Structure formats: structure tokens, C-alpha cells
């Protein structure tokens, strides 16, 4: 299975992608995670990407498309993959379709997790991530056992810098201006699956799995 997950920032793309990757035994590829790892390690790519990420803007295609296309050629992508956060524009979607065509494969579908702006803003203020392993929590909807400490690796939880209210508004604008257009792109080619994103992660997961079953017959 090869598919992409689309959603506004904080819609739960990453959370659902991690769960699906485990369930379907597929690699989870998040361009945002790749950028964050590079920023943490102080690489040249990380420095360049952070100029855009910290303003809530998209990292230019020459950088993003390059890292994605290399990642798709890794051996673990041979039997399928889940893309989270790529594509974010029509250009990126066309690029992806062309690259896959060149590899003799194609994208099966795009899964859109639909959450209203109002709920996105509510959710983002409570999102926390582990500074070490990157696991995502929410202070109300998926809290840690010990406040502020990761359940898995016991490292400190932090708020992503780009989750501050001002940057979230900018990321939402970017989503509506550019990424939302992808819905028509995939709808017109009969590859769009829409699921309502719920507050409770398990409820969204259940609906996602049901929608995938229906889609795959
Ligand atoms: P995410 O973790 O998917 O929310 O991504 C965090 C940030 O990384 C985004 O707000 C963008 O600045 C950047 N980013 C991630 N994926 C892409 C992409 N496909 N194209 C451009 N920028 C991206």
C-alpha cells in the first residue's frame, strides 16, 4: 500500500501515520520529522529549513522534493509507504506522481483527516512532544503518566516552537492557501478518502481503518 495523509497542522496526521505504519507494517515518512531531526543535529539542511519552519511557511521544493525523492528510493519503501506531510502543494503532488511513475508504481490513495480550524487551534495549544524520541502527546487528550515526562523514554516534553499561536495561524493560512487544493487533485483522480478527525485518537483510528477497508473493497 502506498498512500499519503493530508490534514491541517495538528489534525492528527502524524499520530494516525504512526499507528497505521505499525498496523500495516509500512515505513512512515514524515518530511516534518526529517526537518526537525536535521535542525536538532545542526545540519546545513536543518539551518536552511528552520528559516521557513519557524515562520510557519513551507520549505522550498528544491530542498523538500530532494530529501523525499531520495528517501523513497530506500529499500524499506519497496513494498509500500505512508507519507505524512508530503505533498503539501499541487506541484509536490505532481512531482510525487511522476517520480512513482518513473519507478513503475503509483500512489493508491490520499487520506484526508478533516478537522475545523477552531478545533485545530484548541488542539495545538495542548500538543507536547518528547524532546528526545519525538513521541507526540496532548495535555488533555493523550496525557503522559507523569506530567511533562515521556512514557517511553522518560525525557522531557516540550512544545514545538512552531506550535505557538502566532505560527499556528500562519501554518493554517498556508494549509488553506496551498495544501487544501490537493483535495481536488486527488478527488478528481478518484483517490481521495475523507475521515473526520476526532478528539479521541482511537475513534479517529477506528474510522480511518473502516474507511480504508471500504476503499480497498
Ligand atoms: P509537519 O511536522 O508536517 O507539521 O511539518 C512541519 C513544518 O515542516 C511545516 O510547517 C513546513 O514548514 C515544513 N514542511 C514539512 N513538510 C513539508 C513539505 N512537504 N513541503 C514544504 N515544507 C514542509
Amino acid at each position: 500500500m502506498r498512500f499519503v495523509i493530508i490534514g491541517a497542522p495538528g489534525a492528527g496526521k502524524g499520530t494516525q501515520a504512526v499507528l497505521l505504519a505499525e498496523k500495516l507494517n509500512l515505513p512512515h515518512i514524515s518530511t516534518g520529522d526529517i526537518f526537525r531531526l536535521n535542525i536538532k543535529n545542526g545540519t546545513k539542511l536543518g539551518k536552511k529549513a528552520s528559516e521557513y519552519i519557524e515562520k510557519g511557511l513551507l520549505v522550498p521544493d528544491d530542498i523538500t522534493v530532494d530529501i523525499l525523492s531520495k528517501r523513497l528510493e530506500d529499500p524499506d519503501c519497496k513494498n509500500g509507504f505512508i507519507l505524512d506531510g508530503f505533498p503539501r502543494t499541487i506541484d509536490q503532488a505532481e512531482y510525487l506522481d511522476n517520480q512513482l511513475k518513473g519507478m513503475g508504481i503509483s500512489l493508491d490513495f490520499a487520506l484526508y483527516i478533516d478537522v475545523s480550524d477552531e478545533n485545530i487551534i484548541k488542539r495545538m495549544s495542548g500538543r507536547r512532544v518528547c524532546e528526545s524520541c519525538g513521541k507526540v502527546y496532548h495535555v488533555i487528550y493523550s496525557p503522559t503518566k507523569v506530567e511533562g515526562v515521556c512514557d517511553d523514554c522518560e525525557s522531557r516534553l516540550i512544545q514545538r516552537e512552531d506550535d505557538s499561536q502566532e505560527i499556528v495561524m500562519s501554518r493554517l493560512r498556508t494549509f488553506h492557501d496551498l495544501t487544501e487544493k490537493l483535495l481536488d487533485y486527488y478527488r478528481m483522480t478518484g483517490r481521495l478518502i475523507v475521515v473526520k478527525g476526532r478528539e479521541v485518537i482511537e475513534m479517529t483510528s477506528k474510522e480511518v481503518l473502516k474507511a480504508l477497508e471500504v476503499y480497498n473493497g
Side-chain angles (χ1 to χ4, degrees), residues 31-32 36 53 57-59 64 85-86 88 92 160 171:
T31 38
R36 278 185 289 278
I53 294 177
L57 301 174
L58 294 186
V59 177
T64 312
F86 190 101
R88 268 176 148 97
Q92 290 184 2
R160 265 170 56 173
R171 292 168 70 199

Side-chain angles (χ1 to χ4, degrees), residues 36-128:
R36 278 185 289 278
L37 187 66
N38 276 276
I39 292 170
K40 194 172 156 197
N41 293 338
T43 67
K44 216 167 124 189
L45 169 74
K47 286 196 182 101
K48 191 93 208 109
S50 73
E51 288 171 26
Y52 299 89
I53 294 177
E54 64 193 24
K55 296 190 188 103
L57 301 174
L58 294 186
V59 177
D61 279 357
D62 57 337
I63 304 174
T64 312
V65 160
D66 192 47
I67 55 162
L68 182 88
S69 77
K70 287 197 184 108
R71 179 66 185 88
L72 287 180
E73 279 162 16
D74 286 344
D76 65 333
C77 292
K78 240 191 176 149
N79 296 322
F81 51 76
I82 303 174
L83 289 186
D84 154 17
F86 190 101
R88 268 176 148 97
T89 61
I90 300 273
D91 279 354
Q92 290 184 2
E94 284 174 349
Y95 179 87
L96 178 64
D97 277 343
N98 286 333
Q99 179 179 353
L100 296 181
K101 200 170 164 193
M103 294 165 79
I105 51 180
S106 60
L107 193 76
D108 295 316
F109 56 85
L111 171 67
Y112 172 50
I113 303 183
D114 183 14
V115 178
S116 70
D117 284 8
E118 200 191 333
N119 282 338
I120 290 289
I121 293 162
K122 267 195 236 157
R123 282 184 190 197
M124 300 298 264
S125 59
R127 177 154 83 169
R128 299 291 180 271

